[in-house]
């Protein structure tokens, strides 16, 4: 697996997370974010999609929508090469 960095929360202190990556082999989107631990939020999610023991729910702030959109775009497809402006 080769992960290509797409972007990080522009307001993150210390350059940590959340961040978004694309797997250049299969095009999967990989996110690093804040784990959702609130029981009410987890229960709401679990009503539609059970949360298995090996799964984590992460939150990505709305200000990162453009980064997620870029990860989903054709330019982020496998073999498209690194994005030079990040």
């Amino acid at each position: 697996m080769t992960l290509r960095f797409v972007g990080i929360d522009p307001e993150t202190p210390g350059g940590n997370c959340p961040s978004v990556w694309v797997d250049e082999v299969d095009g999967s989107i990989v996110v690093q974010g804040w784990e959702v631990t609130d029981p009410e939020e987890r229960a709401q999610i679990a009503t539609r999609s059970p949360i298995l023991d090996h799964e984590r729910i992460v939150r990505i702030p709305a200000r990162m929508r453009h980064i997620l959109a870029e990860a989903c775009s054709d330019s982020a497809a496998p073999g498209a090469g690194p994005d030079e402006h990040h």
Side-chain angles (χ1 to χ4, degrees):
M1 170 179 5
T2 302
L3 295 178
R4 180 173 53 82
F5 175 76
V6 178
I8 193 165
D9 180 354
E11 296 182 23
T12 187
N16 296 322
C17 77
S19 62
V20 177
W21 305 76
V22 172
D23 182 325
E24 291 193 319
V25 174
D26 69 6
S28 296
I29 296 171
V30 177
V31 297
Q32 174 190 13
W34 306 306
E35 185 173 4
V36 174
T37 58
D38 179 88
E40 290 180 24
E41 287 183 40
R42 293 180 59 84
Q44 184 177 357
I45 292 165
T47 63
R48 280 297 287 237
S49 179
I51 305 167
L52 303 179
D53 288 342
H54 67 279
E55 297 176 331
R56 299 294 177 265
I57 306 299
V58 297
R59 179 178 298 277
I60 302 295
R63 64 181 168 263
M64 291 182 65
R65 288 179 184 192
H66 70 284
I67 295 170
L68 289 169
E70 182 178 334
C72 294
S73 73
D74 289 339
S75 66
D83 185 348
E84 298 299 325
H85 67 274
H86 287 285

